Amino acid sequence: MVSPAASPATGQSSGQKGVILSGMRPTGRLHLGNYFGALQNWVDLQEDYRCIYTVVDVHALTTVETPQDVADIQPNISEMVMDWLAAGVDPERCTIFVQSQVPEVLSLHTLLSMVTPLGWLLRVPTFKDKVRQMDETEETVNYGLVGYPVLQTADIILYKADTVPVGQDQLPHLELAREIVRRFNHRFGDTFPEPQAKLTEVPLIVGLDGQSKMSKSLDNHIDLASTPDETSQRVLTAFTDPQRTTRNIPGRPEVCNVYSLHCTFSDPADTNTVYDECTSAARGCVDCKRHLAASVNTFLEPLRERRREFEQRPDYVKDVLNEGGKRARSIARQTLDEVFEKMGLGSYVDARP
Ligand code: TRP
Ligand code: SF4
């Protein structure tokens, strides 16, 4: 039997279930929380969908302030893409590219802004949070930040993606994307599918501080690219049950983040042993953390192995991104051509061969 319909634009399998698009801002190296929150899911989805994954560098500009922020963009892109590839995102099976390499998204953003009421954007909860966080007001905040979800909609529909794997926090953006699509389709004729969010089931990855989820800004994380030594050292700094001030006091695994991490990274049988030995004071916290470090290192080893392979090929990441950019751009040009025609602007492609 022939393989499932190959997409003319990419030559890749169209997948059984449709087109996935997801994006991440270029924040540099990713950590275990990012892996379970998104990456693992991206890797799994490659089996059934045609997947397009993008580094949204233009979105990152909404919060760039200092020359250092600007200088960080390129290195952050390549560090992050290396983590994608190390985690198993496969450039042979999906399209990986940098948002700004497909400038058609900027045009589509402008065109979509013509069908997006300002009120919709000002009501988005992530917008309000961001304005507060940045110590801005609706008067002083940059226009780009107001339009952030419009650009995100352009990211998605430029490739006519129908499914968008995201975390809970992005649901309002997807709702808005659907509203923009409905308006567009109603005014200019059926053009885009309404993109649906696909929520990731995320095991909560607690930070080493035991206070909150793993995050870079709280510095309670373990990088996917950290060496075995760095990993062990980070794990040894983890907080444990605060009531266990000496080794002969039994611990309470249910309030201990080291235990919670064991549940993700250690074998289930081991996890039971941790529970029993902790509650009977048969194991000390330092040993328990060494044990956890070993489990995390076992987990990270295949990622390190893959990273080692392509770190020896200096142009590898660049080549992957260029290849993905070309493929993405050829789809983007077709879509924008259709949009130009429908909006009365004539042909995009003929005017820009
Ligand atoms: N807003 C998303 C985030 O902060 C990133 C993003 C930009 C995105 N464009 C996208 C996610 C398109 C999914 C689809 O996480
Ligand atoms: Fe936590 Fe392990 Fe110490 Fe128990 S023994 S409190 S699970 S670190």
Side-chain angles (χ1 to χ4, degrees):
M1 213 189 80
V2 284
S3 54
S7 140
T10 64
Q12 294 182 16
S13 156
S14 66
Q16 258 103 85
K17 294 187 181 163
V19 180
I20 289 259
L21 185 133
S22 199
M24 279 187 211
R25 277 169 291 162
T27 50
R29 292 192 165 187
L30 300 178
H31 54 71
L32 289 168
N34 302 126
Y35 180 86
F36 288 98
L39 267 187
Q40 185 183 42
N41 199 34
W42 285 18
V43 172
D44 293 344
L45 291 166
Q46 299 178 118
E47 302 292 332
D48 297 321
Y49 292 83
R50 188 152 73 76
C51 294
I52 307 177
Y53 297 129
T54 177
V55 183
V56 291
D57 56 345
V58 181
H59 275 108
L61 291 176
T62 56
T63 51
V64 156
E65 282 167 358
T66 64
Q68 190 57 49
D69 292 341
V70 175
D72 286 343
I73 295 177
Q74 292 304 322
N76 281 351
I77 291 174
S78 58
E79 287 294 338
M80 187 170 81
V81 172
M82 281 202 263
D83 280 331
W84 291 6
L85 301 171
V89 176
D90 178 3
E92 302 283 324
R93 288 193 291 169
C94 56
T95 300
I96 305 172
F97 74 101
V98 177
Q99 182 185 35
S100 63
Q101 283 194 10
V102 182
E104 281 74 13
V105 76
L106 308 175
S107 305
L108 185 57
H109 166 259
T110 301
L111 297 174
L112 294 179
S113 73
M114 308 304 168
V115 297
T116 311
L118 185 56
W120 288 2
L121 299 174
L122 299 178
R123 274 198 300 273
V124 175
T126 49
F127 171 70
K128 294 189 179 171
D129 292 348
K130 202 80 206 177
V131 170
R132 220 173 296 129
Q133 252 176 46
M134 292 170 67
D135 258 328
E136 303 275 356
T137 66
E138 282 180 13
E139 297 294 317
T140 61
V141 74
N142 69 60
Y143 169 56
L145 198 74
V146 185
Y148 184 111
V150 183
L151 183 58
Q152 182 165 351
T153 304
D155 284 330
I156 299 165
I157 69 178
L158 191 52
Y159 307 97
K160 301 202 175 179
D162 45 44
T163 311
V164 184
V166 283
Q168 192 87 28
D169 64 311
Q170 294 292 309
L171 291 182
H173 289 177
L174 265 292
E175 182 59 42
L176 193 76
R178 283 191 294 277
E179 275 165 16
I180 295 174
V181 163
R182 270 181 231 126
R183 271 224 174 175
F184 185 98
N185 287 347
H186 179 73
R187 194 168 294 172
F188 301 107
D190 231 356
T191 311
F192 298 111
E194 289 182 24
Q196 305 300 322
K198 189 172 173 53
L199 274 185
T200 320
E201 274 195 40
V202 191
L204 180 69
I205 304 298
V206 290
L208 298 173
D209 58 0
Q211 303 296 309
S212 45
K213 69 174 190 175
M214 199 173 270
S215 95
K216 192 155 152 165
S217 55
L218 297 172
D219 195 27
N220 63 5
H221 62 295
I222 297 172
D223 281 341
L224 298 177
S226 57
T227 64
D229 272 356
E230 284 163 358
T231 305
S232 302
Q233 262 154 34
R234 295 285 287 176
V235 171
L236 285 171
T237 67
F239 281 62
T240 64
D241 175 0
Q243 278 181 22
R244 203 172 177 209
T245 44
T246 60
R247 195 188 182 293
N248 49 21
I249 303 176
R252 298 168 302 163
E254 56 289 347
V255 302
C256 176
N257 57 316
V258 172
Y259 178 73
S260 155
L261 291 165
H262 269 298
C263 293
T264 306
F265 295 101
S266 300
D267 293 338
D270 278 15
T271 307
N272 289 335
T273 310
V274 173
Y275 191 96
D276 293 343
E277 293 184 355
C278 173
T279 49
S280 61
R283 76 160 52 201
C285 292
V286 175
D287 286 338
C288 192
K289 289 193 249 187
R290 287 210 183 94
H291 178 181
L292 175 64
S295 302
V296 172
N297 275 324
T298 303
F299 171 84
L300 287 177
E301 199 40 43
L303 281 82
R304 293 188 190 120
E305 178 63 38
R306 243 176 261 133
R307 195 182 247 265
R308 273 196 291 275
E309 276 167 34
F310 56 72
E311 268 176 353
Q312 279 156 15
R313 300 154 66 187
D315 286 337
Y316 182 64
V317 171
K318 206 174 81 207
D319 292 347
V320 164
L321 291 174
N322 283 341
E323 187 49 42
K326 267 190 233 155
R327 247 189 262 144
R329 190 147 194 222
S330 99
I331 308 173
R333 282 170 57 86
Q334 289 174 36
T335 307
L336 198 60
D337 193 55
E338 194 183 345
V339 170
F340 263 50
E341 293 280 6
K342 286 191 167 154
M343 294 183 91
L345 302 175
S347 170
Y348 177 75
V349 171
D350 291 347
R352 289 158 206 80

